[in-house]
Amino acid sequence: MRIDDQEGFVVFDNLFSVTRDLGSDETITMQKPAKTPEQKNAKGVFADRTLLEINESAKTAAGRIVNALLT
Amino acid sequence: MLYTSDEREDLANVLAAIDGLAEGMGLELDIDQRQIDAILRGMRHDFPAQGGENNASAFKKAANFLCYFVANKPVLNPFPVAKVGDLVSRIPNHQNAIVGWHIAIDALHNAKIHRQDCEIALENRISLSRHSYVDVIEAVSTATPSSHFHLVSVLLEQMCYRVNPDASYPSVI
């Protein structure tokens, strides 16, 4: 995953958007959501995490999953 | 992480998680984005608990997300046997069960639950033995929101209490 803070985009390098009926197949890119001040203060039940934290947590989990399933 | 006030933030969070899992496994994944959109819409629509989405616990929110995720099957490629082993690779829809399960338990880690006068954080992450993990993946791989939401919610809640015993109500029955 790459975050371009200047342009405000997030590129998910390992994910390809497949729309079979349209024949498209390209890396998923989206505009990075910008939180309004109200959203930043809104409290949900889940802990607030950055995209990088979520991404890193998943990479770590993937290693645990593969190690566990292959041993 | 989920059920934020902006559906686009949910989308970015879900994609960040899937991308991280893919990179960690050394894979590139084909994603049907229309199904991710359907998951994020469906999990908010007519929330299947008293009081709706705003009053739902973290367990119910995570469960609803997980059921919609595995039912909508946004990850198109089964994971190779070289990454998940023979047992899991034979489970149909294992890739969406693995991804959906990870996102649900990651969301629950440090989620807040309400107990009468206070809030408690689920400080410890759900963890399973290899044997239980394979069983859980097989069990959730065929889950649907209409049929399995309550059972998946109870499963997640009890697994959270197993690693966060102080968060549980006292046993009385």
Side-chain angles (χ1 to χ4, degrees), chain B residues 76-161:
Chain B
L76 300 174
N77 338 56
F79 292 157
V81 66
K83 298 293 179 184
V84 296
D86 192 49
L87 268 180
V88 169
S89 71
R90 284 194 240 161
I91 300 170
N93 200 33
H94 62 262
Q95 70 275 21
N96 287 295
I98 287 171
V99 173
W101 180 258
H102 164 76
I103 295 173
I105 66 169
D106 203 43
L108 284 170
H109 187 200
N110 284 319
K112 293 212 172 49
I113 57 170
H114 297 278
R115 285 290 174 265
Q116 291 178 324
D117 301 331
C118 64
E119 273 185 346
I120 299 175
L122 300 170
E123 292 177 353
N124 299 313
R125 186 189 178 90
I126 289 172
S127 66
L128 300 171
S129 67
R130 177 183 177 277
H131 180 93
S132 291
Y133 182 77
V134 174
D135 282 348
V136 161
I137 294 306
E138 184 162 24
V140 303
S141 65
T142 55
T144 62
S146 58
S147 297
H148 300 97
F149 163 73
H150 290 289
L151 270 174
V152 172
S153 181
V154 168
L155 174 71
L156 288 171
E157 186 169 2
Q158 293 305 313
M159 285 190 169
C160 274
Y161 292 158

Side-chain angles (χ1 to χ4, degrees), chain A residues 1 10-21 25 28-35 39 42 44-51 53-59 61-66 68-71, chain B residues 1-2 5-6 8-9 11-13 15-25 27-34 58 61-62 76 81-85 88 102 106-107 109-112 125 130 133-134:
Chain A
M1 183 181 82
V10 190
V11 180
F12 301 100
D13 303 277
N14 302 287
L15 306 182
F16 289 82
S17 180
V18 176
T19 311
R20 294 216 160 108
D21 51 349
D25 185 356
I28 297 179
T29 302
M30 69 177 285
Q31 204 152 13
K32 191 179 165 197
K35 284 188 185 179
Q39 288 167 336
V45 296
F46 299 117
D48 206 14
R49 288 200 180 96
T50 65
L51 288 178
E53 286 169 342
I54 292 168
N55 190 249
E56 288 298 322
S57 176
K59 279 190 230 172
R64 279 201 302 272
I65 291 166
V66 171
L69 292 179
L70 295 183
T71 52
Chain B
M1 187 169 157
L2 297 173
S5 51
D6 181 355
R8 288 177 311 128
E9 188 172 346
L11 173 63
N13 291 342
L15 290 173
I18 304 175
D19 183 88
L21 282 168
E23 185 171 342
M25 289 191 177
L27 300 173
E28 288 178 346
L29 298 178
D30 293 335
I31 305 294
D32 187 338
Q33 273 199 271
R34 294 169 302 179
K61 286 180 172 175
L76 300 174
V81 66
K83 298 293 179 184
V84 296
V88 169
H102 164 76
D106 203 43
H109 187 200
N110 284 319
K112 293 212 172 49
R125 186 189 178 90
R130 177 183 177 277
Y133 182 77
V134 174

